[in-house]
Amino acid sequence: MLESLLARVQRRAAEPRRRSSVVPLSNAMRDVAKAVEGSRPAPVLVATDVAEDDIEEYDDELIEIIDDGDMAPESVPESAPDMRPLELSASAPSVEMRRHVVPQAELPAAPASTGAAARPAVAPPAPALAAAVREALGAEAVSRKPLTATAVVESQGPRRELRAMSFVELLDASLELGS
Amino acid sequence: MDTSSFDPTRAVVFDLNRGQVALSGGAAVLLIPAEALAHVCAKLDVAAVRQFGSLLGKPAGGRVRARLSAASPPTLEMMVDQLGGEMSLAGLGSLILERWGQALVVRIESCPLAQGQELMSAYIEAALQAAVGRDVTALVLERGASSIRLLLCSKTASMKVKSWLAGGTSWGDALAALHQSTKNGALGGHV
């Protein structure tokens, strides 16, 4: 059974790239089952008795072969193939995902940076483009309207010129100091 | 140009026949070298010098009063012109009046007497007493190379300022302290 599967995989690798090139393992198994249904006795699938480690190793080789064929230049498809996730069969090791509540203190200190790191990097615009964008945007500034010329300061009680003040008054004020 | 109201025309009359010099309408005067006068004043005590200064200032103030009697009351500019004119005729220097806050300060420039501060202090006191009838103390604030500053104040204030000056306080700070003491006294505080 394994040899037949290997032969099938090799045959598939040599063929041109088709739309659905990643064939889930379970479909392959089904194809094999259908191919031999009418001609030969159905292969004995002892899936339940096969060790999980063996199946895992085979799965890795299968994936590797397919990937090697994809990497060849002459086999590069014109359009990107559809990526379908691998379907896990009953014999495959189960992966259980549990949501783990992370304490607040353990959260990263810079979520912004984490988010930025998670986002794909965006190349900065070219300097000429940036300048053109700035020029097109322009700055909108609002300033006050011009003021009409007018007197701003108004003095009350104009100060008397010293030389015109009464000498006696000034003298009396000086004599009052310290008295 | 605005000229002074002091008219020195015929202010000094030289009677060469009689060999006398007199001020117009006044008594005879002497033209003596300032250096000789300073030498004599240096030999006298302070009281004698001050008495000499009063004798010079009193008739000057009288002449000022006579010229200003028509204008009432006399302005600061008029007083500077008239009293300054008298001093210029006597060769005692140029008179300038300064006002530092509320304090009147007399500044005499180009006084020929090297140690003439006491003489000029007495001169000013007597002249003002004769001109405006006020008892004034002209306290010596500063004696520079070519100028003398005199504070026109009361006797009480002059004692305070003199003590501050003797303690090393500058005359500017002393004037400020005098103003402050006056303000404190008006508010009922202690000086």
Side-chain angles (χ1 to χ4, degrees):
Chain A
M1 181 191 68
L2 293 179
E3 293 175 351
S4 64
L5 275 174
L6 179 60
R8 185 180 178 82
V9 168
Q10 288 175 344
R11 223 175 19 255
R12 187 182 293 279
E15 292 174 1
R17 198 87 176 119
R18 292 183 297 177
R19 179 173 176 81
S20 58
S21 58
V22 179
V23 180
L25 183 59
S26 61
N27 290 343
M29 295 295 288
R30 283 196 291 273
D31 290 340
V32 170
K34 288 180 182 177
V36 300
E37 184 176 326
S39 58
R40 285 181 279 177
V44 177
L45 300 177
V46 191
T48 56
D49 295 340
V50 178
E52 294 183 1
D53 293 340
D54 295 340
I55 294 177
E56 283 185 353
E57 292 176 355
Y58 182 79
D59 291 344
D60 290 337
E61 291 178 3
L62 176 62
I63 293 173
E64 278 185 358
I65 291 172
I66 294 175
D67 286 344
D68 287 344
D70 294 338
M71 291 302 292
E74 53 274 10
S75 65
V76 173
E78 293 180 356
S79 63
D82 292 340
M83 302 294 293
R84 283 192 286 173
L86 286 175
E87 296 182 16
L88 301 175
S89 63
S91 60
S94 61
V95 177
E96 183 180 352
M97 295 180 65
R98 278 175 286 182
R99 183 176 295 278
H100 175 61
V101 178
V102 180
Q104 196 69 20
E106 297 181 10
L107 290 177
S113 60
T114 304
R119 292 193 296 270
V122 178
L129 177 61
V133 169
R134 281 196 300 271
E135 185 177 350
L137 290 175
E140 291 191 60
V142 178
S143 59
R144 60 171 176 79
K145 296 179 181 178
L147 296 172
T148 55
T150 181
V152 177
V153 177
E154 177 182 345
S155 61
Q156 295 179 353
R159 179 174 175 152
R160 289 188 299 170
E161 194 173 350
L162 181 61
R163 58 179 61 247
M165 295 175 67
S166 169
F167 173 75
V168 176
E169 290 183 10
L170 294 173
L171 181 61
D172 289 341
S174 184
L175 294 175
E176 288 176 2
L177 283 175
S179 299
Chain B
M1 185 178 72
D2 188 14
T3 57
S4 171
S5 61
F6 178 78
D7 186 6
T9 306
R10 297 182 178 276
V12 179
V13 178
F14 288 84
D15 188 348
L16 297 180
N17 291 331
R18 297 173 60 185
Q20 289 186 340
V21 182
L23 297 178
S24 61
V29 295
L30 293 176
L31 291 178
I32 57 174
E35 191 173 333
L37 182 61
H39 183 76
V40 171
C41 290
K43 299 294 185 181
L44 300 175
D45 57 5
V46 175
V49 172
R50 291 190 65 84
Q51 185 178 12
F52 179 53
S54 296
L55 292 174
L56 296 178
K58 187 174 179 181
R63 289 190 290 272
V64 170
R65 186 186 184 97
R67 285 193 289 268
L68 293 177
S69 60
S72 59
T75 63
L76 183 65
E77 183 177 20
M78 293 168 64
M79 182 58 66
V80 171
D81 282 345
Q82 297 300 324
L83 187 56
E86 290 290 332
M87 290 178 59
S88 297
L89 281 178
L92 293 175
S94 173
L95 176 69
I96 301 163
L97 273 177
E98 300 174 343
R99 192 165 191 233
W100 295 75
Q102 195 175 326
L104 271 183
V105 175
V106 170
R107 180 158 61 100
I108 302 171
E109 295 281 345
S110 304
C111 181
L113 303 175
Q115 297 296 326
Q117 59 269 20
E118 293 297 335
L119 178 71
M120 297 312 301
S121 170
Y123 180 96
I124 293 297
E125 290 175 0
L128 290 179
Q129 170 62 33
V132 296
R134 295 291 194 273
D135 291 330
V136 180
T137 299
L139 179 65
V140 178
L141 291 178
E142 179 191 41
R143 179 60 175 112
S146 61
S147 65
I148 301 171
R149 272 195 170 91
L150 306 171
L151 171 64
L152 303 182
C153 59
S154 62
K155 191 176 290 294
T156 306
S158 68
M159 294 173 61
K160 294 180 183 177
V161 176
K162 187 178 290 188
S163 65
W164 293 333
L165 294 175
T169 306
S170 65
W171 63 269
D173 292 340
L175 289 182
L178 187 65
H179 283 79
Q180 189 63 37
S181 68
T182 304
K183 185 191 298 184
N184 293 340
L187 295 176
H190 295 283
V191 176

